[in-house]
Amino acid sequence: MLGHPLRSIGRAARFGLLTFATIRYAHDTMSSLLTLCGGFLMAVLWFDLMFDVQVLRMSRVEPSEEILASIAAYYARVTGSPMGRLVGVVMLIALSGTLYQLISGAIPRGIAALALATTAAPVLLAALRVLPNAVRLGTRADPIDGQACLAHSIYREHLACLVSILTFSALELLGG
């Protein structure tokens, strides 16, 4: 057993003994960590989509108060919770790790660049659109038509994020 990858690399670098095995271990650990991040984010998206999918039963002409109340209550609970902050931390770890892979050349540059893009896109979408819309929907401050638009938007954006995170996870599994 090589021990903790960062300590192993630090020790090896101090003594000029940075070996292929040490580098490979750190690379495998990073790919495993990033795959774990992707799996966690897919699970979070799955839970969100279990509520979001209710918009498919709702007419755009006459939005359903019952459906909107269910979706809004979910987002009111989860957007301010500690779990929401954990999701943000995992997103930052995924972004940092894919950036590290690109800069270090740990995996082929094309795969690393695509992995970075498929991580950055959903993180930016979540930060700039999904989270603000979910918080707004959770307050139920808008008229019912506005809430319906927000719910439909969140659903579509979550689907796009899921496709992107699935692609990211596949790239980490293949590239790692």
Side-chain angles (χ1 to χ4, degrees):
M1 174 135 194
L2 292 172
H4 188 273
L6 296 179
R7 273 187 256 133
S8 298
I9 289 174
R11 246 184 268 123
R14 268 196 311 266
F15 297 109
L17 301 172
L18 201 54
T19 65
F20 177 75
T22 306
I23 294 170
R24 183 68 194 165
Y25 181 73
H27 163 66
D28 290 348
T29 301
M30 179 61 75
S31 287
S32 296
L33 175 66
L34 293 176
T35 302
L36 182 65
C37 287
F40 176 82
L41 294 173
M42 281 188 280
V44 169
L45 285 164
W46 181 260
F47 278 100
D48 289 348
L49 283 164
M50 283 194 298
F51 283 88
D52 295 342
V53 76
Q54 295 178 80
V55 299
L56 298 177
R57 296 184 299 142
M58 186 171 60
S59 164
R60 283 192 184 261
V61 178
E62 286 186 39
S64 167
E65 173 64 33
E66 181 183 331
I67 291 172
L68 288 172
S70 172
I71 297 169
Y74 171 74
Y75 284 118
R77 278 192 313 272
V78 300
T79 53
S81 72
M83 185 64 161
R85 288 185 281 284
L86 177 62
V87 171
V89 168
V90 171
M91 288 177 173
L92 289 175
I93 291 169
L95 271 176
S96 302
T98 53
L99 187 59
Y100 165 79
Q101 285 182 324
L102 181 65
I103 292 169
S104 70
I107 61 175
R109 295 254 187 237
I111 293 175
L114 190 55
L116 182 60
T118 57
T119 307
V123 168
L124 287 172
L125 186 60
L128 299 176
R129 298 254 321 156
V130 177
L131 182 60
N133 286 346
V135 168
R136 189 168 154 194
L137 181 60
T139 65
R140 306 219 52 205
D142 292 314
I144 195 161
D145 291 341
Q147 291 176 43
C149 282
L150 287 172
H152 280 281
S153 175
I154 292 167
Y155 170 68
R156 285 190 310 273
E157 291 161 359
H158 272 150
L159 283 177
C161 288
L162 182 64
V163 169
S164 193
I165 293 297
L166 278 167
T167 304
F168 163 72
S169 296
L171 288 169
E172 283 304 321
L173 286 171
L174 295 174

